[in-house]
Structure formats: C-alpha cells, structure tokens
Amino acid sequence: MAKFTATILAVTAGAAAAFAPSTSTVRSTTAISEFANGLVGGEGPEPMPFRWGDSKNSKNFDPVGFAERSPEWLNWFREAELKHGRQAMLATVGLVVPEFVRIPGEQFSFEAIPNVLDAHDALLDTSMKQILLWISLAEVMTLAALSNMNEFDRAPGDFSFDPMGLYPTDPAKQEEMKLKELKNGRLAMVAIGGMIHGAIVSGHGFPYL
C-alpha cells in the first residue's frame, strides 16, 4: 500500500508540473529551420524497426507531414497535445484511485458503485454536472492565453501555474522537463484507452485481469 501511495503521489506531482511556466520564446515564423520549429519531442531515440525509410527510430517522426504542411499551426498542435496529455495523466490516476479509496458519501461507496466505469451513468444527474461545470470554467479561463498564442512570448501549454515550484530555472533542465511531460502525456493517452477497454472486456477493476 505504501508503494502504491508513493506511485500516486509521483504521478500527481508530474501532472502539477505540467502547468509550469516556460521562459522560452515562441517562434511564430512559418519558416522551418529545424523540425517542428524546434519544439521538444522530435529528439526521440526510441527504436522503430517497422518505420519506412533509412531512419529506424522515432527521431522527427511525422508520417502525415503536419510540420511541413501546416507550420503556422504547430503551436496549436502542441497546445492540443499537451492538453490531452495532461488530461490523460490525470485520468489514469482518477481511474485507479477509486478502486482503493472513495470520497465520503453513500452515493460514492463501493456498495453503490462497485465498478468505477459505472460511476458516469450512476452520477449523471449529480456529480457529472458539477464536473462539466468546473471543466467549462477552466476552459473559459484559458481563452485569453490561447488567443495570444502566436502574438506574444507565450509557449504552448504555458499557463504560469507552478504552485509546487517544480519547474527548474536552468534552461537545460527546463527542456528536459518539457520532454518528460510530453512523453508521459503521450504514454498516458495510449494507456487510458487501454485501461478503459481492459476494464470493459475483463469486467474487473485495476489491474483489469
């Protein structure tokens, strides 16, 4: 149980670091002097043996050619990727934690909702409406930042929100943290889909066996 708790705290801290401020300047130019305007994430040395061409790793992997065809949208693509990655990281934690502990209230108890996936329909007229309200509020609050994406020095995903002070001051460490967030977010987006379908197919909670 102690190991599980430590894991949950580590993932939560990583999600909080996702909103850390960035000091790097966004390049709005549409001329591509380097892959994806130099945004982190294209450096990956992960092996991809089935990739066509001479390169057999994930370096500058862009099979659809978004970076070349729509360079003016690169910041928006990265903003969307970071947002979905952050949501997925929180979702993976939110799907596992209720298997072990629930918030107070009879409607949230293990007896009322033995399967976490049933919570959506069971709480549709109560908690789900509150969640929708708070998510909508958060989205509205980000509109100003998004509208200034390519006009000022705001980097994609930067909301200057770092209450735990996890974002480093060293530029090299900043790039490293950005890459960690991006890769963990990508992994979480794949993982949450697998977790949900594993729960549906198996009919069991975590670890969905």
Side-chain angles (χ1 to χ4, degrees), residues 30-71:
T30 57
I32 301 181
S33 58
E34 48 188 336
F35 182 75
N37 285 354
L39 293 173
V40 299
E43 311 89 337
E46 293 85 357
M48 297 180 67
F50 301 107
R51 181 179 178 180
W52 56 89
D54 296 331
S55 179
K56 298 300 179 182
N57 55 45
S58 62
K59 182 177 176 61
N60 297 345
F61 183 67
D62 183 22
V64 185
F66 286 125
E68 295 180 2
R69 294 190 297 172
S70 304

Side-chain angles (χ1 to χ4, degrees), residues 81-120:
E81 182 177 21
L82 286 172
K83 176 177 284 189
H84 284 85
R86 290 165 179 173
Q87 292 172 340
M89 285 188 283
L90 292 173
T92 53
V93 177
L95 194 62
V96 174
V97 170
E99 299 283 1
F100 299 89
V101 62
R102 302 286 177 88
I103 61 176
E106 178 60 31
Q107 68 271 34
F108 307 117
S109 65
F110 289 98
E111 292 75 20
I113 309 177
N115 192 327
V116 174
L117 289 184
D118 295 333
H120 179 277

Side-chain angles (χ1 to χ4, degrees), residues 154-196:
R154 176 184 178 271
D158 178 15
F159 292 98
S160 297
F161 181 72
D162 185 23
M164 300 179 66
L166 298 176
Y167 197 64
T169 56
D170 181 67
K173 294 293 184 181
Q174 290 177 356
E175 294 299 305
E176 182 180 349
M177 177 167 281
K178 290 178 186 177
L179 186 59
K180 287 180 179 179
E181 177 191 14
L182 191 65
K183 288 190 173 184
N184 280 281
R186 290 170 176 173
L187 177 62
M189 285 188 281
V190 176
I192 189 64
M195 292 165 69
I196 291 175

